[in-house]
Coordinates of all heavy atoms in Angstrom, one line a residue:
H13 N 18.6 7.5 13.1 CA 18.4 6.4 12.2 C 17.3 6.7 11.2 O 16.2 7.1 11.6 CB 18.0 5.1 12.9 CG 19.0 4.5 13.8 ND1 19.4 5.0 15.0 CD2 19.8 3.4 13.5 CE1 20.4 4.2 15.5 NE2 20.7 3.3 14.6
L14 N 17.6 6.6 9.9 CA 16.6 6.8 8.9 C 15.7 5.6 8.7 O 14.6 5.7 8.2 CB 17.3 7.1 7.6 CG 18.1 8.4 7.6 CD1 18.8 8.6 6.3 CD2 17.2 9.6 7.8
T15 N 16.2 4.4 9.2 CA 15.4 3.2 9.2 C 15.9 2.4 10.4 O 17.0 2.5 10.8 CB 15.5 2.4 7.9 OG1 14.7 1.2 8.0 CG2 17.0 2.0 7.6
Y16 N 15.0 1.5 10.9 CA 15.4 0.6 11.9 C 15.6 -0.9 11.4 O 15.9 -1.8 12.1 CB 14.4 0.6 13.1 CG 14.5 1.9 13.8 CD1 13.6 2.9 13.6 CD2 15.5 2.2 14.7 CE1 13.7 4.1 14.2 CE2 15.6 3.4 15.4 CZ 14.7 4.3 15.1 OH 14.8 5.6 15.8
R17 N 15.4 -1.0 10.1 CA 15.5 -2.4 9.5 C 16.9 -2.9 9.6 O 17.1 -4.1 9.5 CB 15.0 -2.3 8.0 CG 13.5 -2.3 7.9 CD 13.1 -2.4 6.4 NE 13.4 -1.1 5.7 CZ 12.5 -0.1 5.6 NH1 11.3 -0.2 6.1 NH2 12.9 1.0 4.9
T18 N 17.9 -2.0 9.7 CA 19.3 -2.4 9.7 C 19.9 -2.1 11.1 O 21.1 -2.0 11.2 CB 20.1 -1.6 8.7 OG1 19.9 -0.2 8.9 CG2 19.7 -2.0 7.2
L19 N 19.1 -2.0 12.1 CA 19.5 -1.8 13.5 C 20.7 -2.7 13.9 O 20.6 -3.9 13.7 CB 18.3 -1.9 14.5 CG 18.6 -1.3 15.8 CD1 18.8 0.2 15.8 CD2 17.3 -1.6 16.7
R20 N 21.7 -2.1 14.4 CA 22.9 -2.8 14.8 C 23.8 -3.3 13.6 O 24.8 -4.0 13.8 CB 22.7 -3.9 15.8 CG 22.1 -3.4 17.1 CD 22.0 -4.5 18.1 NE 21.4 -3.9 19.4 CZ 20.2 -3.7 19.6 NH1 19.2 -4.0 18.7 NH2 19.8 -3.2 20.8
Q21 N 23.3 -3.0 12.4 CA 24.1 -3.4 11.2 C 24.0 -2.2 10.2 O 23.9 -2.4 9.0 CB 23.6 -4.6 10.5 CG 23.7 -5.9 11.4 CD 23.1 -7.1 10.8 OE1 22.8 -7.1 9.6 NE2 23.0 -8.1 11.6
E22 N 23.9 -1.0 10.8 CA 23.7 0.2 10.0 C 24.8 0.5 9.0 O 26.0 0.2 9.2 CB 23.6 1.5 10.9 CG 22.5 1.4 11.9 CD 22.8 0.8 13.2 OE1 23.8 0.1 13.3 OE2 22.1 1.0 14.2
R23 N 24.4 1.0 7.9 CA 25.3 1.5 6.9 C 25.3 3.0 7.0 O 24.3 3.6 7.5 CB 24.8 1.1 5.5 CG 24.8 -0.4 5.3 CD 24.0 -0.8 4.1 NE 22.6 -0.3 4.3 CZ 21.7 -0.4 3.4 NH1 21.8 -1.1 2.3 NH2 20.5 0.1 3.6
P24 N 26.3 3.7 6.5 CA 26.3 5.2 6.6 C 25.1 5.8 6.0 O 24.6 6.8 6.5 CB 27.6 5.6 5.9 CG 28.5 4.4 6.1 CD 27.6 3.2 6.0
C25 N 24.5 5.2 5.0 CA 23.4 5.8 4.3 C 22.1 5.7 5.1 O 21.1 6.2 4.8 CB 23.2 5.3 2.9 SG 22.8 3.5 2.8
D26 N 22.1 4.8 6.2 CA 21.0 4.6 7.1 C 20.9 5.6 8.2 O 20.0 5.6 9.0 CB 21.0 3.2 7.7 CG 21.0 2.1 6.7 OD1 20.3 2.3 5.6 OD2 21.5 1.0 7.0
L27 N 22.0 6.5 8.3 CA 22.1 7.4 9.5 C 22.3 8.8 9.0 O 22.9 9.1 8.0 CB 23.3 7.0 10.3 CG 23.3 5.5 10.8 CD1 24.7 5.2 11.3 CD2 22.3 5.3 11.8
I28 N 21.9 9.8 9.8 CA 22.2 11.2 9.6 C 22.5 11.8 11.0 O 22.2 11.2 12.0 CB 21.1 12.0 9.0 CG1 19.8 12.0 9.8 CG2 20.9 11.6 7.5 CD1 18.8 13.0 9.2
V29 N 23.3 12.9 11.0 CA 23.6 13.6 12.2 C 22.6 14.7 12.4 O 22.4 15.5 11.5 CB 25.1 14.1 12.2 CG1 25.4 15.0 13.4 CG2 26.1 13.0 12.0
L30 N 22.0 14.8 13.6 CA 21.1 15.8 14.0 C 21.5 16.4 15.4 O 22.1 15.7 16.2 CB 19.7 15.3 14.1 CG 19.1 14.8 12.8 CD1 17.7 14.2 13.1 CD2 19.0 15.8 11.8
C31 N 21.2 17.7 15.6 CA 21.4 18.2 17.0 C 20.2 17.6 17.8 O 19.2 17.1 17.3 CB 21.3 19.7 17.0 SG 19.7 20.4 16.6
E32 N 20.4 17.8 19.1 CA 19.3 17.2 20.0 C 17.9 17.7 19.7 O 17.0 17.0 19.7 CB 19.7 17.5 21.5 CG 18.8 16.9 22.5 CD 19.2 17.2 23.9 OE1 20.3 17.8 24.1 OE2 18.5 16.7 24.8
G33 N 17.8 19.0 19.4 CA 16.5 19.6 19.2 C 15.9 19.1 17.9 O 14.7 18.7 17.9
C34 N 16.6 19.0 16.8 CA 16.1 18.4 15.6 C 15.8 17.0 15.7 O 14.9 16.5 15.1 CB 17.1 18.7 14.4 SG 17.1 20.5 13.9
H35 N 16.6 16.2 16.5 CA 16.4 14.8 16.7 C 15.1 14.6 17.4 O 14.3 13.7 17.1 CB 17.6 14.2 17.5 CG 17.7 12.7 17.4 ND1 18.5 12.0 18.2 CD2 17.0 11.8 16.6 CE1 18.4 10.7 17.9 NE2 17.5 10.6 16.9
R36 N 14.9 15.4 18.5 CA 13.6 15.3 19.2 C 12.4 15.6 18.3 O 11.4 14.9 18.3 CB 13.6 16.3 20.4 CG 14.3 15.8 21.6 CD 13.9 16.6 22.9 NE 13.9 18.0 22.7 CZ 14.9 18.8 22.9 NH1 16.1 18.3 23.3 NH2 14.8 20.1 22.7
H37 N 12.6 16.6 17.4 CA 11.5 16.9 16.5 C 11.2 15.8 15.5 O 10.1 15.5 15.2 CB 11.9 18.2 15.7 CG 10.8 18.6 14.7 ND1 9.6 19.1 15.1 CD2 10.8 18.5 13.4 CE1 8.9 19.3 14.0 NE2 9.6 19.0 13.0
Q38 N 12.3 15.1 15.1 CA 12.1 13.9 14.2 C 11.3 12.8 14.8 O 10.6 12.1 14.1 CB 13.5 13.4 13.8 CG 14.2 14.2 12.7 CD 13.4 14.3 11.4 OE1 13.0 13.3 10.9 NE2 13.2 15.5 11.0
H39 N 11.3 12.7 16.1 CA 10.6 11.7 16.9 C 9.4 12.2 17.6 O 8.9 11.6 18.5 CB 11.5 10.9 17.8 CG 12.6 10.1 17.1 ND1 12.3 9.0 16.3 CD2 13.9 10.2 17.1 CE1 13.4 8.5 15.9 NE2 14.4 9.2 16.3
G40 N 9.0 13.4 17.3 CA 7.9 14.1 18.0 C 6.6 13.3 17.9 O 6.3 12.7 16.9
L41 N 5.9 13.2 19.0 CA 4.6 12.5 19.1 C 3.5 13.2 18.3 O 2.5 12.6 18.0 CB 4.2 12.3 20.5 CG 5.2 11.4 21.4 CD1 4.7 11.4 22.8 CD2 5.3 10.0 20.8
D42 N 3.7 14.4 17.9 CA 2.7 15.1 17.2 C 2.9 15.0 15.7 O 2.1 15.5 14.9 CB 2.7 16.6 17.5 CG 4.1 17.3 17.3 OD1 5.1 16.6 17.1 OD2 4.1 18.5 17.2
T43 N 3.9 14.2 15.3 CA 4.1 14.0 13.8 C 3.6 12.6 13.4 O 3.5 11.7 14.3 CB 5.5 14.2 13.4 OG1 6.3 13.2 14.1 CG2 6.0 15.6 13.7
D44 N 3.3 12.4 12.2 CA 2.7 11.2 11.7 C 3.5 10.7 10.5 O 2.9 10.0 9.7 CB 1.2 11.3 11.4 CG 0.6 9.9 11.4 OD1 1.0 9.0 12.2 OD2 -0.3 9.7 10.6
D45 N 4.8 11.0 10.4 CA 5.6 10.6 9.3 C 6.0 9.1 9.5 O 5.9 8.6 10.6 CB 6.8 11.4 9.0 CG 7.7 11.4 10.2 OD1 7.5 12.2 11.2 OD2 8.6 10.6 10.2
P46 N 6.3 8.4 8.5 CA 6.6 6.9 8.6 C 7.8 6.7 9.6 O 7.7 5.7 10.3 CB 7.0 6.5 7.2 CG 6.4 7.5 6.3 CD 6.3 8.8 7.1
I47 N 8.8 7.5 9.6 CA 9.9 7.2 10.5 C 9.5 7.4 12.0 O 9.8 6.6 12.8 CB 11.1 8.1 10.2 CG1 11.7 7.7 8.8 CG2 12.2 8.0 11.2 CD1 12.8 8.7 8.3
S48 N 8.7 8.4 12.3 CA 8.2 8.6 13.6 C 7.3 7.5 14.0 O 7.4 7.0 15.2 CB 7.6 10.0 13.8 OG 8.5 11.0 13.6
R49 N 6.4 7.1 13.2 CA 5.5 5.9 13.5 C 6.3 4.7 13.8 O 6.1 4.0 14.7 CB 4.6 5.7 12.3 CG 3.4 6.6 12.3 CD 2.3 6.1 11.4 NE 2.7 5.7 10.1 CZ 2.7 6.5 9.0 NH1 2.3 7.7 9.1 NH2 3.1 6.1 7.9
E50 N 7.4 4.4 12.9 CA 8.2 3.2 13.1 C 8.9 3.3 14.5 O 9.0 2.4 15.2 CB 9.2 3.1 12.0 CG 10.1 1.9 12.0 CD 11.0 1.8 10.9 OE1 11.1 2.7 10.0 OE2 11.8 0.8 10.8
F51 N 9.5 4.5 14.8 CA 10.2 4.7 16.1 C 9.2 4.4 17.3 O 9.5 3.7 18.2 CB 10.7 6.1 16.2 CG 11.3 6.4 17.5 CD1 12.6 6.0 17.9 CD2 10.6 7.2 18.4 CE1 13.1 6.3 19.1 CE2 11.2 7.5 19.6 CZ 12.4 7.1 20.0
R52 N 8.0 5.0 17.2 CA 7.1 4.8 18.3 C 6.7 3.4 18.4 O 6.5 2.9 19.6 CB 5.8 5.7 18.1 CG 6.1 7.2 18.2 CD 4.9 8.0 18.3 NE 4.0 7.9 17.1 CZ 4.0 8.7 16.1 NH1 4.9 9.7 16.0 NH2 3.2 8.6 15.1
E53 N 6.5 2.6 17.3 CA 6.2 1.2 17.4 C 7.4 0.4 18.1 O 7.1 -0.4 18.9 CB 6.0 0.6 16.0 CG 4.7 1.1 15.4 CD 4.5 0.7 14.0 OE1 5.3 -0.2 13.5 OE2 3.6 1.2 13.3
I54 N 8.6 0.8 17.7 CA 9.7 0.0 18.3 C 9.9 0.3 19.8 O 10.1 -0.6 20.5 CB 11.0 0.4 17.5 CG1 11.0 -0.2 16.1 CG2 12.3 0.0 18.3 CD1 12.1 0.3 15.2

């Protein structure tokens, strides 16, 4: 998910396909990008 604002009502532009490794990296606890912060909050 590129955003969680549309959770359960996602549009194709809200999503991308990642492999497991890249997906884990996107949600890494060592990163401080807005998407990772939002994920950790949720």
Side-chain angles (χ1 to χ4, degrees):
H13 291 79
L14 296 172
T15 180
Y16 291 100
R17 286 185 286 267
T18 57
L19 194 61
R20 296 185 179 83
Q21 298 176 12
E22 296 90 344
R23 299 166 300 182
C25 64
D26 297 330
L27 308 167
I28 60 172
V29 174
L30 297 176
C31 69
E32 185 178 357
C34 288
H35 197 191
R36 278 196 316 268
H37 179 71
Q38 284 296 308
H39 292 297
L41 295 176
D42 59 341
T43 62
D44 199 36
D45 63 275
I47 292 171
S48 294
R49 280 197 308 269
E50 184 178 3
F51 174 78
R52 290 192 302 265
E53 289 172 12
I54 289 170

